[in-house]
Every structure is written in C-alpha cells, then in structure tokens.
Amino acid sequence: QLVESGGGSVQAGGSLKLSCVGSGYTLPLHMAWFRRLPGQGREGVAAIAADGRTRYADSVKGRFTIIRDDAKKTVYLQMNDLTPEDTGMYFCAGARGAMTPGSWSVTSYHHSWGQGTQVTVS
C-alpha cells in the first residue's frame, strides 16, 4: 500500500514536496509519480529505479526531482517553479519490473497505487 502526502495550494513559482510512504517490507523495484491533469488521463511525471537512475517527463525536467529513501520506504517528489499547468492530482505508483524507457510512464506497468494528493497552482 502506498500513501501520498504533501499536496496543497501554492502560487506560481512556488514549491511543494510530495511524499509517498510504502507499507510493505520494501519499496517496489521501480517507483514513479504520475499526475492526472484536469480533463486528461494519468501521465508519467518521474520515476526512479532501485539503483537511483531517474526519468522525467519533458514538461518537468529541470523543475522536479524524484528521490527515494529505501530505509524509510519513502519516495519524494520535489517540485520547484510550479506553474498553473502543473495543477492536478498526483499519484505514487510502484512496479515489480525494472524501469525501462518504454515502461516507466505506462500506468498498466505499475501494480501498486496510492490514492493521490491534490496540487493546485494559481
């Protein structure tokens, strides 16, 4: 089970840090953050492998950073320089398989999901 926190309302240019805590024995091999923008489906935002390799959507590169702390069974998403276009519901997800270029942003590849945390940028 994954539980997200840290969402909220912020002005454009501000920052938020999302957290995702896993309740299992260990975090899944590959962890990711997705978001659902208003009127759209879920899209991959960032992912991190067990060895620390990361991937980011082009729209967030240079602004968002994904970090995992396996000792705390927690994955973070540091979001800086937020814009209104970042407004949406953010979800944490885990996958048993390895992180690959073709799978990291695919929702069906991820077996475990959190309930989401809302981010609103005005």
Side-chain angles (χ1 to χ4, degrees):
Q1 183 179 1
L2 301 174
V3 179
E4 304 97 333
S5 63
S9 296
V10 65
Q11 292 188 335
S15 299
L16 283 174
K17 186 175 183 178
L18 307 182
S19 299
C20 170
V21 181
S23 60
Y25 181 71
T26 60
L27 285 177
L29 192 63
H30 149 187
M31 296 295 299
W33 284 95
F34 285 74
R35 65 184 180 186
R36 185 175 63 227
L37 305 181
Q40 301 183 30
R42 294 187 188 188
E43 64 176 22
V45 175
I48 187 165
D51 62 5
R53 289 176 297 118
T54 57
R55 289 201 171 267
Y56 295 94
D58 288 343
S59 59
V60 306
K61 280 181 181 176
R63 300 189 298 123
F64 290 13
T65 303
I66 186 170
I67 302 165
R68 67 188 288 161
D69 184 335
D70 287 89
K72 295 182 179 179
K73 295 186 290 185
T74 303
V75 177
Y76 304 96
L77 186 67
Q78 176 66 49
M79 305 186 294
N80 298 327
D81 195 20
L82 286 160
T83 73
E85 289 68 37
D86 295 314
T87 293
M89 185 70 78
Y90 284 70
F91 301 88
C92 175
R96 297 184 184 94
M99 185 182 73
T100 67
S103 66
W104 77 269
S105 60
V106 177
T107 56
S108 60
Y109 188 71
H110 297 77
H111 69 281
S112 182
W113 290 86
Q115 294 300 307
T117 185
Q118 178 68 34
V119 171
T120 303
V121 185
S122 60

